[in-house]
Amino acid sequence: MGAETLKTTLKVHRAMRDLTQADLAALVGVTRKSINAIETGKMVPSTLLALKLARALETPVESLFALVDTPA
Amino acid sequence: MTKTATDRTERILQHSRRGLWVVLGMLALLAGWLVLLALSPQGESARTITRLIPTLLPIAIVLVAAWTRGSLGGKPFDPKEPEARAFLEDELRQANLGKSFRVAFIAVLVGQPLLAWFLWQRPYGLVLMGAFTGVLAVGSLVAAFLAFDRD
């Protein structure tokens, strides 16, 4: 059985709204580095941050983040 | 937040990193002084530095404070402002800080037998052991955080 990992479409949704990482960071109250880390998969956001991101991008949180099975 | 606010958050971040580098530098100097004291407590170098520290330390602190404050663009750090809160409550930063504390804890644990072996027969061994442990703890914390939190 493989491991479950987090897949994110944050970058896509951010680009659709023509926002820079800094813009999105300012909207949710974090630093640009955090947004970059989430987009590159280096960081898993907390539930609170994930909901804030979804609200800022006006999209359901399930559209931004999903669990995927990676093969063993 | 506007672009100005975003820039302000980035500025606070860079200011924080600069401050931490300064702290690391000062800890390195302190460690050097402690090594001198351990190896040659009655030596001329150790005695000279010990005599100069009460004079040089306040001057160094004032100079560093003035320099790092300038990097905030003249506006002092206010933890209540939204840009400062974004910096302080940043999840990535807090996660990196947590990792850094764990690294510092392990460094102190590993450092104890090494320090004991280095200092056990030296004059003022116990005092130096305490001082070295403190420097090791804070130094490894700051160094680890600078490494984890880099761009």
Side-chain angles (χ1 to χ4, degrees):
Chain A
M1 191 167 132
E4 288 174 317
T5 54
L6 189 72
K7 182 173 177 278
T8 178
T9 55
L10 183 65
K11 190 170 183 175
V12 170
H13 283 87
R14 179 174 61 78
M16 276 163 53
R17 274 149 189 80
D18 206 23
L19 293 170
T20 62
Q21 287 181 341
D23 293 333
L24 183 56
L27 283 173
V28 299
V30 294
T31 62
R32 182 201 53 79
K33 273 204 278 194
S34 284
I35 301 297
N36 183 264
I38 296 168
E39 287 182 356
T40 54
K42 289 188 187 128
M43 176 177 134
V44 175
S46 66
T47 309
L48 183 63
L49 182 54
L51 288 169
K52 282 183 181 177
L53 287 165
R55 186 174 63 185
L57 295 169
E58 293 171 347
T59 191
V61 70
E62 295 84 359
S63 302
L64 280 183
F65 301 102
L67 273 177
V68 292
D69 283 318
T70 45
Chain B
M1 274 198 267
T2 60
K3 184 178 185 307
T4 317
T6 312
D7 292 341
R8 172 79 179 156
T9 306
E10 285 296 314
R11 192 165 232 190
I12 291 171
L13 205 120
Q14 295 308 322
H15 169 83
S16 162
R17 286 191 67 81
R18 266 191 284 271
L20 286 174
W21 276 112
V22 167
V23 166
L24 197 59
M26 289 174 78
L27 284 170
L29 290 173
L30 185 58
W33 174 54
L34 289 173
V35 169
L36 262 181
L37 277 180
L39 293 176
S40 174
Q42 301 305 322
E44 194 54 41
S45 310
R47 287 198 293 178
T48 305
I49 293 171
T50 306
R51 252 198 326 269
L52 287 174
I53 279 177
T55 311
L56 291 179
L57 192 59
I59 297 171
I61 290 171
V62 167
L63 286 173
V64 164
W67 173 63
T68 53
R69 188 189 168 118
S71 71
L72 272 180
K75 190 179 170 197
F77 180 78
D78 178 9
K80 292 195 189 76
E81 65 178 326
E83 298 86 2
R85 284 214 322 272
F87 165 74
L88 290 169
E89 293 167 9
D90 186 62
E91 282 189 14
L92 181 64
R93 184 174 175 274
Q94 289 181 344
N96 289 335
L97 202 53
K99 281 195 284 185
S100 305
F101 271 109
R102 287 193 286 278
V103 165
F105 177 63
I106 291 167
V108 166
L109 285 180
V110 168
Q112 292 306 287
L114 296 172
L115 285 173
W117 171 79
F118 175 58
L119 293 168
W120 78 291
Q121 279 194 325
R122 305 226 179 249
Y124 314 110
L126 275 180
V127 173
L128 286 172
M129 180 91 176
F132 268 115
T133 301
V135 170
L136 177 64
V138 179
S140 51
L141 172 68
V142 171
F145 184 67
L146 282 169
F148 289 136
D149 207 45
R150 69 187 182 281
D151 276 328

